[in-house]
Amino acid sequence: MVGSLILLWPLLVATEFRPLQLFDAQSREPTLRFLATMVPPAIHSDFLQLVIRESWRTVAIATAGIALALLVALPATLVSVRVLSVSALSGRMSPAAFLLRQGVRWVLILLRSVPELIWALVFVRVVGLGPTAGVLAIALTYGGMLGKVYAEILESGDPTVAQTLLRNGSSRLQAFFYGVLPQNAAELTSYTVYRWECAIRSSVVLGFVGAGGLGQQLDSSMKMFAGGEVSTLLLVFILLVGIADFVSSWLRRQLG
Amino acid sequence: MSSAKITFQPAANRPYRLPPPLSGARHTAVWFSLGLLCLVSASFISLDLQWSAFFSAQAVGGMGRFIGEFYPPDLSPAFTSKLLYASIETLAMSALGTLLAAIAGLALALPASRMHTSDAAWLRTPTRLLLNALRSIPELVWAALLLISAGLGPFAGTLALACHTSGVLGRLYAEAIENAPPGPAYALRTQGLGGARVFLYATLPQILPQIISYTLYRWENNIRAAAVLGVVGAGGLGQLLAFHMGLFQMAKTASILGAMVLLVVLVDALSYGLRRMMTR
């Protein structure tokens, strides 16, 4: 008991953990006022129209981002996957090929390690406020993620078919399309659909730094302390995530 | 009696045969691809993306200047110690947030799961709805909401992580409780033990490894999330980033970005190494 308290104490200090602060008069009043304004959600028609438009934009940013991410991920996967190495058929992979594959892999890991919010912050500086920054941010982060996982999925499959094809003189692309892709296609598609669902969730968050969609609307409603609008947006957001969840699990069941 | 005459009559109905499937696999694949194509093209058309602005000479030059200003990153001792403190703050936020979420998640998982087949579990549906609501609002949105009552700083971030993660963990724990082998719990219940003791002595010991691994997995996720939470003002490295980027201090921004990537890569490598060590 004492030991765990000693362990916990630095955490409490570092995070400025003061629960009582939530209940003192200074923060209680604005909180209660905000909660009170949330109760009838705003449902007048022009606001609802705006919400529907922004929800579509959120989905569109995620979809366009994933489409561009595939443009990054597919070539990177083709280059970096070890099963398609010709020199590895006879013992070790040649050093140049190994360096190329490892280099592409490191680039993918780097793309993936920078959170999409940071990419969005940087791109908002360059291209200005709007969906372009969000699409680019999703494209880069998810490109890295998809590329890395695609390569792992392809390498976890049975390599004999592709190796036999390569040994008998097929090109790498032929070996990919006839040897590697058929046995892994369902898993690849299912992972892509799952990532699309994740992208919808993160495109809402990207709106907070000005990349368009529901998040931007939520941010501005919150800054105006318009509680009714905030609660409508939160409900719509929960609904959207629920629908994406449902569609993605249904699609994955169909593919599986 | 005359000799029995066996007559074969034709069946009243034709033999039962399944109709051919209305849509073959190919059919479905074509519809899927068409739908996908429509969705993607509608997205690109409706978004009015400014590629021309992005690839114009001016934007490319701006991008170049922007990246050029990153170099050299600010590595002065004063700023590095500030970075170190922010990284520790980020780690502390994620650890405390996960701990709070584990406690709240377990507390919510109990009413959200059906302990045995004759358990009425009245609270199961409402608690699951609550867990879903907690889970589907991302950490960053929670942080922005909690700023109103918790004020700027790491406290809001910790609470935000705790809110989102307790939704995730609560659901995972509830699944673990419902999927635990029912034998030991049944044996204790037939001896007349109450619900609390049955849970503590039969169910919990069986699901403890799963609970621990889920919690550690979420902690890893939360370190990554805590690094960026501060962008809305909720403490850690992100708050430092938003502050210095807002002031256009690019040298400092560069070293903060470096610290973030380093933190994420370290956590990834550590968890990868640990998992390999444990599965070997």
Side-chain angles (χ1 to χ4, degrees):
Chain A
M1 191 69 196
V2 177
S4 57
L5 263 185
I6 290 173
L7 278 177
L8 211 56
W9 190 247
L11 289 183
L12 295 180
V13 173
T15 56
E16 300 168 17
F17 194 76
R18 287 188 286 266
L20 287 182
Q21 194 183 314
L22 290 177
F23 300 104
D24 70 352
Q26 218 179 10
S27 67
R28 195 179 53 209
E29 246 169 61
T31 309
L32 286 180
R33 215 176 317 130
F34 186 67
L35 284 179
T37 55
M38 275 177 91
V39 166
I43 45 168
H44 47 274
S45 64
D46 20 331
F47 183 66
L48 278 188
Q49 270 175 13
L50 182 76
V51 167
I52 289 170
R53 205 166 51 235
E54 294 300 319
S55 312
W56 163 248
R57 279 184 112 188
T58 301
V59 176
I61 289 173
T63 313
I66 288 284
L68 290 183
L70 284 176
L71 286 188
V72 178
L74 290 179
T77 312
L78 280 180
V79 172
S80 76
V81 73
R82 288 196 197 97
V83 189
L84 296 182
S85 163
V86 175
S87 57
L89 286 177
S90 50
R92 289 175 66 87
M93 207 184 292
S94 76
F98 179 76
L99 273 184
L100 178 67
R101 292 207 164 84
Q102 211 57 33
V104 171
R105 221 157 258 230
W106 281 110
V107 171
L108 288 180
I109 289 179
L110 186 75
L111 283 180
R112 194 185 67 114
S113 301
V114 180
E116 60 263 45
L117 199 74
I118 305 298
W119 282 123
L121 268 178
V122 170
F123 285 129
V124 162
R125 278 288 149 77
V126 178
V127 289
L129 294 174
T132 317
V135 170
L136 283 173
I138 289 185
L140 285 183
T141 314
Y142 282 72
M145 235 180 259
L146 290 175
K148 180 172 172 284
V149 175
Y150 282 173
E152 275 166 13
I153 291 176
L154 293 182
E155 278 168 12
S156 71
D158 180 16
T160 34
V161 188
Q163 281 170 358
T164 314
L165 284 174
L166 284 176
R167 270 184 224 282
N168 286 301
S170 77
S171 74
R172 286 200 185 85
L173 268 184
Q174 280 172 329
F176 173 74
F177 279 116
Y178 293 98
V180 184
L181 191 59
Q183 55 175 330
N184 295 309
E187 205 178 340
L188 291 179
T189 335
S190 146
Y191 186 75
T192 315
V193 172
Y194 165 68
R195 276 295 160 199
W196 171 73
E197 181 198 331
C198 294
I200 288 182
R201 236 172 287 174
S202 71
S203 83
V204 170
V205 169
L206 293 184
F208 270 80
V209 296
L214 274 179
Q216 199 164 355
Q217 197 54 47
L218 192 58
D219 191 35
S220 60
S221 296
M222 214 139 30
K223 278 183 179 142
M224 294 188 298
F225 285 94
E229 292 183 9
V230 171
S231 54
T232 310
L233 287 166
L234 285 179
L235 287 176
V236 167
F237 177 54
I238 292 175
L239 200 70
L240 190 67
V241 170
I243 292 174
D245 203 2
F246 176 76
V247 170
S248 125
S249 66
W250 179 77
L251 270 179
R252 277 183 284 160
R253 242 196 340 271
Q254 295 287 309
L255 294 163
Chain B
M1 231 166 76
S2 64
S3 63
K5 208 170 103 191
I6 304 163
T7 52
F8 290 100
Q9 289 194 336
N13 304 333
R14 308 271 311 273
Y16 179 68
R17 261 214 196 112
L18 280 174
L22 284 177
S23 60
R26 257 162 222 256
H27 206 108
T28 325
V30 168
W31 281 115
F32 271 156
S33 320
L34 268 181
L36 195 66
L37 206 66
C38 287
L39 183 66
V40 171
S41 40
S43 307
F44 274 105
I45 291 166
S46 68
L47 276 182
D48 61 300
L49 299 172
Q50 290 137 358
W51 297 122
S52 52
F54 184 63
F55 288 112
S56 70
Q58 193 197 350
V60 171
M63 187 86 179
R65 225 175 315 118
F66 187 73
I67 291 171
E69 281 170 5
F70 275 163
Y71 190 82
D74 185 349
L75 291 175
S76 61
F79 190 66
T80 320
S81 66
K82 212 166 149 190
L83 267 183
L84 196 67
Y85 182 72
S87 310
I88 291 172
E89 196 175 277
T90 303
L91 285 175
M93 276 163 65
S94 68
L96 194 62
T98 314
L99 186 68
L100 288 176
I103 297 167
L106 196 59
L108 285 172
L110 290 176
S113 49
R114 186 177 310 248
M115 297 287 183
H116 48 89
T117 40
S118 57
D119 187 359
W122 299 112
L123 287 172
R124 191 169 178 267
T125 316
T127 323
R128 292 218 163 197
L129 277 179
L130 174 68
L131 286 176
N132 273 342
L134 284 173
R135 194 170 58 104
S136 51
I137 298 177
E139 300 96 339
L140 202 92
V141 179
W142 273 122
L145 283 171
L146 285 166
L147 283 182
I148 296 171
S149 44
L152 288 172
F155 182 44
T158 312
L159 287 184
L161 287 175
C163 282
H164 175 75
T165 312
S166 56
V168 177
L169 284 181
R171 184 179 150 137
L172 288 172
Y173 292 168
E175 305 279 320
I177 291 174
E178 290 194 342
N179 291 331
Y186 181 71
L188 286 191
R189 217 171 31 254
T190 49
Q191 301 293 320
L193 260 64
R197 278 191 290 175
V198 170
F199 178 74
L200 283 178
Y201 290 98
T203 315
L204 188 62
Q206 294 187 78
I207 61 168
L208 201 58
Q210 251 177 313
I211 285 194
I212 291 176
S213 78
Y214 285 147
T215 313
L216 286 178
Y217 154 73
R218 280 317 299 189
W219 185 26
E220 186 196 328
N221 275 18
N222 277 347
I223 297 177
R224 245 171 281 156
V228 294
L229 263 189
V231 170
V232 293
L237 279 172
Q239 192 163 7
L240 215 56
L241 179 81
F243 179 72
H244 289 294
M245 208 171 190
L247 293 177
F248 289 96
Q249 293 169 335
M250 284 308 156
K252 290 197 162 100
T253 306
S255 36
I256 299 169
L257 285 178
M260 265 184 186
V261 173
L262 202 67
L263 190 70
V264 172
V265 169
L266 272 182
V267 168
D268 268 359
L270 202 67
S271 105
Y272 179 72
L274 272 177
R275 252 177 292 154
R276 269 191 65 170
M277 213 173 71
M278 284 195 282
T279 51
R280 191 173 288 160

Coordinates of all heavy atoms in Angstrom, one line a residue, chain B residues 50-89:
Chain B
Q50 N -6.9 21.3 -53.2 CA -6.2 22.3 -54.0 C -4.8 21.8 -54.3 O -3.8 22.2 -53.8 CB -6.0 23.6 -53.1 CG -7.3 24.3 -52.9 CD -7.5 24.8 -51.5 OE1 -6.7 24.5 -50.7 NE2 -8.6 25.5 -51.3
W51 N -4.8 20.8 -55.3 CA -3.5 20.3 -55.7 C -2.7 21.3 -56.4 O -1.5 21.4 -56.2 CB -3.7 19.1 -56.6 CG -4.4 18.0 -56.0 CD1 -5.6 17.4 -56.4 CD2 -4.0 17.3 -54.8 NE1 -5.9 16.4 -55.5 CE2 -5.0 16.3 -54.5 CE3 -3.0 17.4 -53.9 CZ2 -5.0 15.5 -53.4 CZ3 -2.9 16.6 -52.8 CH2 -3.9 15.6 -52.6
S52 N -3.3 22.2 -57.2 CA -2.6 23.2 -57.9 C -1.8 24.1 -57.0 O -0.7 24.4 -57.1 CB -3.5 24.0 -58.9 OG -4.6 24.5 -58.1
A53 N -2.5 24.4 -55.9 CA -1.9 25.3 -54.9 C -0.8 24.6 -54.2 O 0.3 25.1 -53.8 CB -2.9 25.8 -53.8
F54 N -1.0 23.2 -54.0 CA 0.0 22.5 -53.3 C 1.3 22.3 -54.1 O 2.4 22.3 -53.6 CB -0.6 21.1 -52.9 CG 0.3 20.3 -52.1 CD1 0.7 20.7 -50.8 CD2 0.8 19.1 -52.5 CE1 1.5 19.9 -50.0 CE2 1.6 18.3 -51.8 CZ 2.0 18.7 -50.5
F55 N 1.1 22.1 -55.4 CA 2.3 21.8 -56.2 C 2.8 23.0 -57.0 O 3.7 22.9 -57.8 CB 2.0 20.7 -57.3 CG 1.9 19.4 -56.6 CD1 0.6 18.7 -56.5 CD2 3.0 18.8 -56.0 CE1 0.5 17.5 -55.9 CE2 2.9 17.5 -55.4 CZ 1.7 16.9 -55.4
S56 N 2.2 24.2 -56.7 CA 2.6 25.4 -57.4 C 4.0 25.7 -56.9 O 4.5 25.3 -55.8 CB 1.7 26.6 -57.1 OG 1.8 26.9 -55.7
A57 N 4.8 26.5 -57.7 CA 6.2 26.9 -57.4 C 6.2 27.6 -56.0 O 7.1 27.3 -55.2 CB 6.7 27.8 -58.4
Q58 N 5.2 28.4 -55.7 CA 5.2 29.2 -54.5 C 5.1 28.2 -53.3 O 5.8 28.3 -52.3 CB 4.0 30.1 -54.5 CG 4.0 31.2 -53.4 CD 2.7 31.8 -53.3 OE1 1.8 31.6 -54.1 NE2 2.5 32.6 -52.2
A59 N 4.1 27.2 -53.4 CA 3.9 26.3 -52.3 C 5.1 25.4 -52.1 O 5.6 25.2 -50.9 CB 2.7 25.5 -52.5
V60 N 5.7 25.0 -53.2 CA 6.9 24.2 -53.1 C 8.1 24.9 -52.4 O 8.7 24.5 -51.5 CB 7.3 23.6 -54.4 CG1 8.7 22.9 -54.3 CG2 6.3 22.6 -54.9
G61 N 8.2 26.2 -52.9 CA 9.2 27.1 -52.2 C 8.9 27.3 -50.8 O 9.8 27.2 -49.9
G62 N 7.7 27.5 -50.4 CA 7.3 27.7 -49.0 C 7.6 26.5 -48.2 O 8.1 26.6 -47.1
M63 N 7.3 25.3 -48.8 CA 7.6 24.0 -48.1 C 9.1 23.9 -47.9 O 9.5 23.5 -46.8 CB 7.1 22.9 -49.0 CG 7.2 21.6 -48.4 SD 5.7 21.3 -47.5 CE 6.0 19.6 -46.9
G64 N 9.9 24.3 -48.9 CA 11.3 24.2 -48.8 C 11.8 25.1 -47.7 O 12.6 24.7 -46.8
R65 N 11.3 26.3 -47.7 CA 11.7 27.3 -46.7 C 11.4 26.8 -45.3 O 12.1 26.9 -44.3 CB 11.1 28.6 -46.9 CG 12.1 29.8 -46.8 CD 11.4 31.1 -47.2 NE 10.6 31.1 -48.4 CZ 9.3 31.4 -48.4 NH1 8.7 31.7 -47.3 NH2 8.7 31.3 -49.5
F66 N 10.1 26.2 -45.2 CA 9.6 25.7 -43.9 C 10.5 24.6 -43.4 O 10.8 24.6 -42.2 CB 8.2 25.2 -44.2 CG 7.4 24.8 -43.0 CD1 6.9 25.7 -42.2 CD2 7.2 23.4 -42.8 CE1 6.2 25.3 -41.1 CE2 6.5 23.0 -41.7 CZ 6.0 24.0 -40.8
I67 N 10.9 23.7 -44.3 CA 11.8 22.6 -43.8 C 13.2 23.1 -43.5 O 13.8 22.7 -42.5 CB 11.8 21.5 -44.9 CG1 10.4 20.8 -44.9 CG2 12.8 20.5 -44.5 CD1 10.2 19.9 -46.0
G68 N 13.6 24.1 -44.3 CA 14.9 24.7 -44.1 C 15.1 25.3 -42.8 O 16.1 25.2 -42.1
E69 N 14.0 26.0 -42.3 CA 14.0 26.6 -41.0 C 14.1 25.7 -39.9 O 14.5 26.0 -38.7 CB 12.8 27.5 -40.8 CG 12.8 28.8 -41.5 CD 11.5 29.5 -41.5 OE1 10.5 29.0 -40.9 OE2 11.4 30.6 -42.1
F70 N 13.8 24.4 -40.1 CA 13.9 23.4 -39.1 C 15.3 23.2 -38.7 O 15.6 22.7 -37.6 CB 13.3 22.0 -39.6 CG 11.8 21.9 -39.4 CD1 11.1 21.0 -40.0 CD2 11.2 22.8 -38.5 CE1 9.7 20.8 -39.9 CE2 9.8 22.6 -38.3 CZ 9.1 21.7 -39.0
Y71 N 16.2 23.5 -39.6 CA 17.6 23.2 -39.3 C 18.4 24.5 -39.0 O 18.2 25.5 -39.6 CB 18.3 22.5 -40.6 CG 19.7 22.0 -40.3 CD1 19.8 20.8 -39.7 CD2 20.8 22.8 -40.6 CE1 21.1 20.3 -39.4 CE2 22.0 22.3 -40.3 CZ 22.2 21.1 -39.7 OH 23.4 20.6 -39.4
P72 N 19.2 24.6 -38.0 CA 19.5 23.5 -37.0 C 18.5 23.4 -35.9 O 18.0 24.5 -35.4 CB 20.8 23.9 -36.4 CG 20.8 25.4 -36.5 CD 19.9 25.8 -37.7
P73 N 18.1 22.2 -35.4 CA 17.2 22.2 -34.3 C 17.8 22.7 -33.0 O 19.0 22.7 -32.8 CB 16.9 20.7 -34.1 CG 18.0 20.0 -34.9 CD 18.5 20.9 -35.9
D74 N 17.0 23.3 -32.1 CA 17.5 23.9 -30.9 C 17.8 22.8 -29.9 O 16.9 22.1 -29.4 CB 16.3 24.8 -30.3 CG 16.8 25.6 -29.1 OD1 17.9 25.2 -28.6 OD2 16.1 26.5 -28.7
L75 N 19.1 22.6 -29.6 CA 19.5 21.6 -28.7 C 20.2 22.2 -27.5 O 21.0 21.5 -26.8 CB 20.4 20.6 -29.4 CG 19.7 19.7 -30.5 CD1 20.7 18.8 -31.2 CD2 18.6 18.9 -29.8
S76 N 19.9 23.5 -27.2 CA 20.6 24.1 -26.0 C 20.2 23.3 -24.7 O 19.0 22.8 -24.7 CB 20.2 25.5 -25.9 OG 18.8 25.6 -25.8
P77 N 21.1 23.3 -23.7 CA 20.7 22.5 -22.5 C 19.4 22.9 -21.9 O 18.6 22.1 -21.4 CB 21.9 22.8 -21.6 CG 23.0 23.4 -22.4 CD 22.4 23.9 -23.7
A78 N 19.2 24.3 -21.8 CA 18.0 24.7 -21.2 C 16.7 24.1 -21.8 O 15.8 23.6 -21.2 CB 17.9 26.3 -21.2
F79 N 16.7 24.2 -23.2 CA 15.6 23.7 -23.9 C 15.5 22.2 -23.9 O 14.4 21.6 -23.8 CB 15.6 24.2 -25.4 CG 14.3 23.9 -26.1 CD1 13.1 24.6 -25.7 CD2 14.2 23.0 -27.1 CE1 12.0 24.3 -26.3 CE2 13.0 22.7 -27.7 CZ 11.9 23.4 -27.3
T80 N 16.6 21.5 -23.9 CA 16.6 20.0 -23.8 C 16.0 19.6 -22.5 O 15.3 18.6 -22.5 CB 18.0 19.5 -24.0 OG1 18.7 20.2 -25.0 CG2 18.0 18.0 -24.4
S81 N 16.4 20.3 -21.4 CA 15.8 19.8 -20.1 C 14.3 20.1 -20.1 O 13.5 19.3 -19.5 CB 16.5 20.6 -19.0 OG 16.2 21.9 -19.0
K82 N 13.9 21.1 -20.8 CA 12.4 21.4 -20.9 C 11.7 20.3 -21.6 O 10.7 19.8 -21.3 CB 12.2 22.7 -21.6 CG 11.0 23.5 -21.2 CD 11.1 24.9 -21.7 CE 9.8 25.5 -22.0 NZ 9.9 26.8 -22.8
L83 N 12.4 19.8 -22.7 CA 11.9 18.7 -23.5 C 11.8 17.5 -22.7 O 10.8 16.7 -22.8 CB 12.8 18.5 -24.7 CG 12.5 19.1 -26.0 CD1 13.5 18.7 -27.1 CD2 11.1 18.8 -26.5
L84 N 12.8 17.2 -21.9 CA 12.9 16.0 -21.1 C 11.7 16.0 -20.1 O 11.0 15.0 -19.9 CB 14.2 15.9 -20.4 CG 14.6 14.6 -19.8 CD1 14.8 13.6 -20.9 CD2 15.8 14.7 -18.9
Y85 N 11.5 17.2 -19.5 CA 10.4 17.3 -18.6 C 9.1 17.0 -19.2 O 8.2 16.3 -18.7 CB 10.4 18.7 -17.9 CG 9.3 18.7 -16.8 CD1 9.4 18.0 -15.6 CD2 8.1 19.4 -17.1 CE1 8.4 18.0 -14.7 CE2 7.1 19.4 -16.2 CZ 7.3 18.7 -15.0 OH 6.3 18.7 -14.1
A86 N 8.9 17.6 -20.5 CA 7.6 17.4 -21.2 C 7.4 15.9 -21.5 O 6.3 15.4 -21.5 CB 7.6 18.3 -22.4
S87 N 8.6 15.3 -21.9 CA 8.4 13.8 -22.2 C 8.0 13.0 -21.0 O 7.2 12.1 -21.1 CB 9.8 13.3 -22.7 OG 10.3 14.1 -23.7
I88 N 8.6 13.4 -19.8 CA 8.2 12.7 -18.6 C 6.8 12.9 -18.3 O 6.0 12.0 -17.9 CB 9.2 13.1 -17.4 CG1 10.6 12.6 -17.7 CG2 8.6 12.6 -16.1 CD1 11.6 13.1 -16.7
E89 N 6.4 14.2 -18.5 CA 5.0 14.6 -18.3 C 4.0 13.7 -19.2 O 3.0 13.2 -18.7 CB 4.8 16.0 -18.6 CG 3.5 16.6 -18.0 CD 3.4 18.1 -18.3 OE1 4.0 18.9 -17.5 OE2 2.8 18.5 -19.3

